[in-house]
């Protein structure tokens, strides 16, 4: 098999994941796109490992070992990421990364300040405000 | 590194001749299978990042990851293929679906799945794809993988290399998984204790509304006598919903 096939597929999958990370708004969809990018890297690692283990008589199998490590790290990453997303959703009532603009300078998405949008009638946001006031009290 | 130099020379001498014998216009059966499964995988990935239905995105991700497992099998990396099926299709997608469920993702089409910078993202992705594919095809146009003979990634071979040469990173990785486990527990426990504290204070507010303002609610807007218990009960109900 030509090495070009898996490598080109890997590049295309990586760019698909890149588009998803940049264009998606929901945090869980961003995590899915990150998974796609990690899988593209895995395909690259496995393809080069198979090539080198035949062509260069390489017995270390570093590509496959690194692919296994990447899979394990991706599993850890998805666990931590989902825990963070769930914590944010519990405190803010939203999982949209466009609306998490507390540390952004300059423009606000709603045209109003953060304190004003916190006192809106939205139920989870008032929950967050109540939590904040009780944490300071 | 002598290993890299040996890889370069040996690969160059053996694979260029083989690849010149095998052109792109007469693909082998494995290549055709790889191409078809690759098309399915890429299409599923594109649907994953473009669909507006969140649950469908997770389900198309299953197709993409399963297709990648088949690609690993075609590359004779059996162990990685089954690990891919077990971990990605088995647990990661289930975790993602649980996350979608717990953040109360809408079931139907959600109009705000994509953010406003879609066109910029598309331009960046297409530019990156063109650059990567061009460079990669130019570099590996004549490289040939020899897939005959014993499989390169059977459980025997992978296990031997993993536990001979990669023992220390393997153990470090287990520590990392443990740290991730503890971190996830800490992240979700802190919210639980906050909810318990809020529960306690709302109960205190509900009972203390008759006796006067409680001690810790100076900055909190004191609810009226009619709205106090109702608000506490709605907060409690919301907590029960959240903890379910």
């Amino acid at each position: 098999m030509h090495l070009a096939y898996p490598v080109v597929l890997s590049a295309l999958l990586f760019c698909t994941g890149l588009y998803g990370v940049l264009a998606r708004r929901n945090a869980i969809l961003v995590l899915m796109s990150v998974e796609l990018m990690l899988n593209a890297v895995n395909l690259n690692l496995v393809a080069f490992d198979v090539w080198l283990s035949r062509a260069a008589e390489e017995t270390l199998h570093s590509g496959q070992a690194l692919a296994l490590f990447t899979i394990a790290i991706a599993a850890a990453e998805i666990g931590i990421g989902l825990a963070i997303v769930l914590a944010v959703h519990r405190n803010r009532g939203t999982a949209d990364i466009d609306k998490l603009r507390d540390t952004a300078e300059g423009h606000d998405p709603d045209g109003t300040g953060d304190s004003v949008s916190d006192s809106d009638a939205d139920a989870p946001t008032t929950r967050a405000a109540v939590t904040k006031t009780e944490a300071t009290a | 590194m002598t290993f890299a130099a040996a890889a370069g020379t040996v690969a160059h001498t053996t694979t260029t001749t083989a690849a010149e014998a095998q052109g792109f216009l007469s693909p082998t059966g494995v290549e055709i299978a790889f191409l078809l499964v690759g098309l399915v995988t890429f299409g599923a990935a594109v649907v994953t990042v473009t669909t507006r239905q969140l649950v469908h995105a997770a389900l198309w991700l299953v197709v993409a990851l399963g297709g990648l497992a088949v690609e690993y099998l075609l590359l004779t990396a059996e162990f990685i293929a089954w690990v891919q099926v077990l971990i990605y299709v088995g647990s990661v997608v289930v975790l993602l679906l649980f996350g979608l469920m717990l953040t109360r993702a809408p079931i139907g089409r959600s109009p705000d799945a994509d953010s406003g910078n879609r066109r910029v993202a598309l331009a960046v992705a297409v530019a990156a794809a063109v650059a990567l594919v061009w460079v990669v095809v130019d570099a590996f146009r004549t490289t040939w993988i020899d897939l005959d003979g014993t499989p390169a990634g059977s459980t025997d071979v992978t296990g031997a290399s993993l536990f001979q040469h990669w023992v220390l990173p393997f153990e470090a990785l287990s520590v990392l998984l443990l740290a991730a486990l503890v971190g996830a527990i800490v992240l979700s426990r802190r919210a639980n204790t906050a909810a318990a504290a809020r529960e306690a204070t709302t109960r205190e507010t509900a009972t203390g509304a008759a006796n006067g303002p409680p001690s810790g609610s100076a900055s909190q807007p004191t609810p009226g006598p009619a709205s106090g218990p109702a608000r506490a009960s709605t907060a409690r109900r919301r907590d029960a919903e959240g903890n379910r």
Side-chain angles (χ1 to χ4, degrees), chain B residues 40-189:
Chain B
V40 171
T41 306
F42 180 58
V46 167
V47 175
T48 300
V49 297
T50 53
T51 180
R52 290 184 183 277
Q53 311 198 18
L54 305 184
V55 181
H56 285 196
L59 297 180
W60 279 108
L61 189 66
V62 172
V63 178
L65 299 178
L68 269 172
V70 177
E71 307 280 41
Y72 293 153
L73 276 182
L74 289 177
L75 283 169
T76 69
E78 301 166 5
F79 184 67
I80 306 270
W82 298 123
V83 165
Q84 168 96 1
V85 169
L86 278 178
I87 293 187
Y88 273 110
V89 183
S91 70
V92 165
V93 175
V94 173
L95 264 181
L96 284 169
L97 282 173
F98 263 106
L100 282 177
M101 194 181 73
L102 289 176
T103 56
R104 299 190 200 147
I107 295 296
R109 302 166 66 86
S110 62
D112 55 349
D114 290 335
S115 70
N117 49 10
R118 234 181 109 188
R119 299 219 178 122
V120 184
L122 190 62
V124 168
V126 167
V130 167
L132 271 179
V133 169
W134 181 23
V135 168
V136 147
V137 166
D138 197 31
F140 300 109
R141 196 177 38 213
T142 58
T143 309
W144 182 258
I145 308 177
D146 189 16
L147 287 179
D148 299 331
T150 59
S154 63
T155 313
D156 192 7
V157 176
T158 311
S161 80
L162 201 61
F163 288 104
Q164 274 178 6
H165 307 290
W166 299 95
V167 176
L168 203 59
F170 190 79
E171 298 297 329
L173 199 66
S174 68
V175 177
L176 181 127
L177 274 180
L178 181 68
L181 184 74
V182 174
I185 290 174
V186 165
L187 275 175
S188 44
R189 259 188 73 85

Side-chain angles (χ1 to χ4, degrees), chain A residues 1-3 7 9 15-16 19 23-25 29 35 39 42 54-55 58 60-61 74 82 89-90 127 131 137, chain B residues 3 10 22 31 48-49 51 65 71-72 84 88 113-115 136 143 145-146 148 150 152 157 191 198 216:
Chain A
M1 182 192 292
H2 282 281
L3 185 60
V7 168
L9 177 65
C15 293
T16 312
Y19 167 76
R24 286 301 204 175
R25 183 174 278 175
L29 292 178
E35 291 302 313
N39 269 288
N42 276 345
R54 289 303 163 78
E58 187 246 4
L60 204 56
H61 282 293
L82 276 178
H89 180 265
R90 204 174 290 160
R127 272 184 69 202
T131 316
Chain B
F3 152 70
V10 175
Q22 314 267 352
E31 282 178 335
T48 300
V49 297
T51 180
L65 299 178
E71 307 280 41
Y72 293 153
Q84 168 96 1
Y88 273 110
D114 290 335
S115 70
V136 147
T143 309
I145 308 177
D146 189 16
D148 299 331
T150 59
V157 176
R198 188 170 62 242

